[in-house]
Amino acid sequence: MVPSREALLGPGTTAIRCPKKLQNQNYKGHGLSKGKEREQRASIRFKTTLMNTLMDVLRHRPGWVEVKDEGEWDFYWCDVSWLRENFDHTYMDEHVRISHFRNHYELTRKNYMVKNLKRFRKQLEREAGKLEAAKCDFFPKTFEMPCEYHLFVEEFRKNPGITWIMKPVARSQGKGIFLFRRLKDIVDWRKDTRSSDDQKDDIPVENYVAQRYIENPYLIGGRKFDLRVYVLVMSYIPLRAWLYRDGFARFSNTRFTLNSIDDQYVHLTNVAVQKTSPDYHPKKLHPTVGPLCIHSPENGSLSVTPWPWDAHMGCKWTLQRFRQYLASKHGPEAVETLFRDIDNIFVKSLQSVQKVIISDKHCFELYGYDILIDQDLKPWLLEVNASPSLTASSQEDYELKTCLLEDTLHVVDMEARLTGREKRVGGFDLMWNDGPVSREEGAPDLSGMGNFVTNTHLGCVNDRKKQLRQLFCSLQVQKKASS
């Protein structure tokens, strides 16, 4: 059985932070020597156990000093196991920040994510009607196993012959996933997994979700892909979320077919899976998909150029190149509609957990969203990752993740340089600030307005270096003027 939320939080846990005067030997304090105000500090003490791109970014950040072992820290990019074991026994001063919300799993564990989305959809239908509730129809029909096994069997028998996919509720990188079309496969699966010791977060591998498989994925060069998109949440109450402009499409290494549902290299796009393929090479060129037509928004003209497959990103495309490709095939209006629908997935999924996530002011979270596009250009939410991979698979991947992490730290703003009124910081655009954020300066944040355009630029040009120079120069001028 999947443990209850109370079991995951720990016995007797509440959302209240321990007051300083109640500290005892069971509580570890952090940031105490720095004072409580969010004032500018000459030195930021950081800690992390992740030895990848993140460590490089933290060590190269001016004024940041690494803390090891039990030293006091101001900023901790922790793993979720540390969070579960230590968060409730750690006192944190006002300025201290940590990289996860206490019960992040409400969104990032597959079974809880679906439960919260189903509940939120029913709430919307009651309060706003069926049309608004239909905006939550972006996840496939899903059942939690084994507790909803009988409901699943009933649905399975209504639609014989379709393909289903089984996913463990709390594992990542494609581990434990398989496709099936027969109920007998479920019986075989339960026999095979009872003796498995490959577990994560103490969740037994028997706990899976059975999800209707998207049998008509959008294909490029005959291959299936999904999108990895990054969303940074700084607060749930009020909800304050930033969307990163860059991301990537992850391609399978083998042409798509439903005739071979046992071939993981066809159906799973995870890099951790694809790089084990016998013919995988990180600099492999994909077969050409024809010329690329880029629409010019200035005069409506078209320019035709050969399509640049990412020779240096393995089985990946940048989101910029993906968006350009779609515009060349379907036109800019269809692409705008698709990306608006993707924006809707981010907002509705975050709103679905807004009332259940413990919104501690010390916490932020960088989520990795996995989105699948079907042949009708409909986006589907596959899952949300609390710990998206920060390990680079190529030089271009390293540069993307380095910029992503640098901009995450700019938004978290341990240096207390921002005013709080910014709508863009580097590659991040403020998407939601207790309501939708307008792309236009000074426009009211009312989504019901006919000319309202949300402040999102997914897959658009990311001139982050220029923007950051302008931003910090402007802040410096404001600081001098006020002093």
Side-chain angles (χ1 to χ4, degrees):
M1 293 293 291
V2 175
S4 65
R5 290 167 169 81
E6 291 74 18
L8 286 164
L9 281 169
T13 297
T14 68
I16 301 172
R17 301 259 53 79
C18 175
K20 186 174 180 179
K21 66 182 180 180
L22 295 182
Q23 289 182 61
N24 56 38
Q25 65 272 22
N26 295 323
Y27 282 82
K28 176 67 176 177
H30 290 282
L32 300 180
S33 64
K34 292 293 180 182
K36 288 192 174 183
E37 298 301 321
R38 286 277 290 165
E39 59 188 18
Q40 289 193 347
R41 287 171 293 280
S43 176
I44 306 295
R45 300 165 297 179
F46 76 85
K47 183 177 180 180
T48 186
T49 56
L50 304 177
M51 301 301 295
N52 51 31
T53 311
L54 174 66
M55 181 62 83
D56 293 345
V57 170
L58 291 172
R59 284 176 174 171
H60 285 90
R61 195 163 180 85
W64 286 50
V65 180
E66 185 177 359
V67 172
K68 297 183 179 179
D69 301 324
E70 296 303 313
E72 286 190 4
W73 41 265
D74 304 302
F75 178 94
Y76 189 10
W77 197 296
C78 66
D79 56 45
V80 293
S81 60
W82 182 95
L83 188 83
R84 185 175 59 250
E85 295 166 7
N86 297 279
F87 187 88
D88 300 306
H89 309 291
T90 302
Y91 173 79
M92 289 179 280
D93 210 352
E94 182 77 16
H95 70 279
V96 171
R97 294 294 180 266
I98 195 166
S99 63
H100 295 288
F101 287 93
R102 178 62 183 89
N103 55 338
H104 63 87
Y105 49 77
E106 295 285 355
L107 181 62
T108 60
R109 187 157 286 165
K110 300 176 186 70
N111 54 333
Y112 287 162
M113 180 191 80
V114 171
K115 281 183 178 179
N116 284 313
L117 284 169
K118 288 179 178 179
R119 174 190 50 76
F120 185 60
R121 191 191 188 288
K122 290 179 181 177
Q123 176 189 331
L124 284 178
E125 187 167 350
R126 288 195 307 270
E127 298 175 358
K130 292 184 177 180
L131 195 61
E132 187 66 23
K135 293 180 181 179
C136 288
D137 292 341
F138 50 72
F139 59 100
K141 189 175 288 292
T142 306
F143 298 89
E144 184 176 351
M145 307 289 270
C147 64
E148 293 183 332
Y149 176 76
H150 295 295
L151 291 174
F152 164 71
V153 171
E154 184 178 333
E155 180 67 25
F156 182 91
R157 288 173 174 162
K158 287 180 184 176
N159 300 279
I162 68 169
T163 308
W164 294 80
I165 185 168
M166 288 283 280
K167 306 176 183 179
V169 299
R171 291 205 273 171
S172 59
Q173 298 184 326
K175 295 175 183 174
I177 296 178
F178 65 94
L179 279 63
F180 69 97
R181 293 190 182 122
R182 303 176 304 169
L183 283 178
K184 177 181 178 296
D185 296 330
I186 302 295
V187 177
D188 294 341
W189 156 73
R190 296 196 69 183
K191 290 178 182 177
D192 292 340
T193 56
R194 280 176 182 169
S195 60
S196 173
D197 59 357
D198 186 11
Q199 301 178 3
K200 180 179 178 182
D201 286 355
D202 299 322
I203 303 300
V205 295
E206 289 90 340
N207 295 282
Y208 273 56
V209 290
Q211 198 167 67
R212 186 162 178 170
Y213 186 64
I214 306 299
E215 295 184 319
N216 63 330
Y218 192 97
L219 304 179
I220 297 179
R223 288 161 173 80
K224 180 182 174 181
F225 64 92
D226 68 1
L227 308 180
R228 167 58 60 86
V229 185
Y230 299 99
V231 175
L232 175 62
V233 176
M234 295 301 299
S235 166
Y236 271 98
I237 302 177
L239 181 59
R240 185 173 174 85
W242 300 74
L243 176 63
Y244 203 62
R245 295 187 174 203
D246 289 337
F248 47 84
R250 305 179 298 184
F251 287 82
S252 64
N253 204 45
T254 308
R255 285 182 171 272
F256 181 79
T257 175
L258 286 172
N259 296 329
S260 179
I261 65 172
D262 295 326
D263 190 340
Q264 61 180 351
Y265 302 124
V266 171
H267 301 284
L268 304 185
T269 60
N270 310 70
V271 175
V273 172
Q274 291 299 323
K275 69 182 182 181
T276 64
S277 171
D279 58 347
Y280 173 83
H281 191 278
K283 293 186 178 181
K284 177 180 178 181
L285 279 171
H286 288 268
T288 180
V289 294
L292 169 66
C293 303
I294 301 179
H295 293 253
S296 171
E298 287 78 15
N299 55 24
S301 64
L302 296 178
S303 61
V304 182
T305 60
W307 177 247
W309 282 93
D310 287 324
H312 302 293
M313 287 193 75
C315 295
K316 291 181 180 179
W317 271 9
T318 63
L319 283 186
Q320 252 187 290
R321 293 176 179 179
F322 170 70
R323 185 166 185 152
Q324 289 171 348
Y325 173 79
L326 286 186
S328 74
K329 299 285 285 187
H330 304 283
E333 289 186 9
V335 174
E336 283 294 333
T337 299
L338 167 63
F339 278 76
R340 273 200 307 270
D341 290 343
I342 294 175
D343 292 343
N344 172 71
I345 289 178
F346 304 139
V347 172
K348 288 294 189 287
S349 61
L350 294 174
Q351 288 178 327
S352 76
V353 297
Q354 186 177 7
K355 293 182 179 179
V356 295
I357 292 281
I358 300 171
S359 187
D360 191 299
K361 63 186 177 184
H362 300 97
C363 303
F364 69 94
E365 192 113 32
L366 179 65
Y367 294 110
Y369 274 74
D370 292 343
I371 308 289
L372 179 75
I373 314 296
D374 70 17
Q375 291 176 358
D376 300 319
L377 293 185
K378 174 181 172 62
W380 296 88
L381 175 60
L382 299 181
E383 64 178 303
V384 184
N385 298 273
S387 301
S389 173
L390 301 176
T391 301
S393 58
S394 66
Q395 181 59 34
E396 192 168 356
D397 197 34
Y398 179 84
E399 292 169 4
L400 186 156
K401 289 175 179 175
T402 295
C403 295
L404 166 71
L405 290 168
E406 287 176 351
D407 291 345
T408 297
L409 297 182
H410 290 322
V411 175
V412 173
D413 192 30
M414 291 298 297
E415 298 88 350
R417 294 178 293 183
L418 304 181
T419 65
R421 298 186 296 274
E422 293 81 6
K423 295 192 346 184
R424 182 183 177 190
V425 177
F428 276 110
D429 297 290
L430 183 60
M431 171 176 60
W432 194 271
N433 188 20
D434 202 22
V437 178
S438 171
R439 188 176 297 183
E440 300 299 324
E441 289 295 335
D445 292 342
L446 299 173
S447 59
M449 294 179 61
N451 59 350
F452 185 91
V453 181
T454 306
N455 186 44
T456 56
H457 302 266
L458 185 62
C460 296
V461 173
N462 185 7
D463 54 341
R464 56 179 295 277
K465 289 185 179 180
K466 177 182 176 182
Q467 194 276 338
L468 287 171
R469 280 196 303 269
Q470 294 174 344
L471 172 64
F472 289 122
C473 283
S474 173
L475 291 172
Q476 198 68 26
V477 170
Q478 292 177 41
K479 181 182 177 181
K480 288 180 180 178
S482 62
S483 60

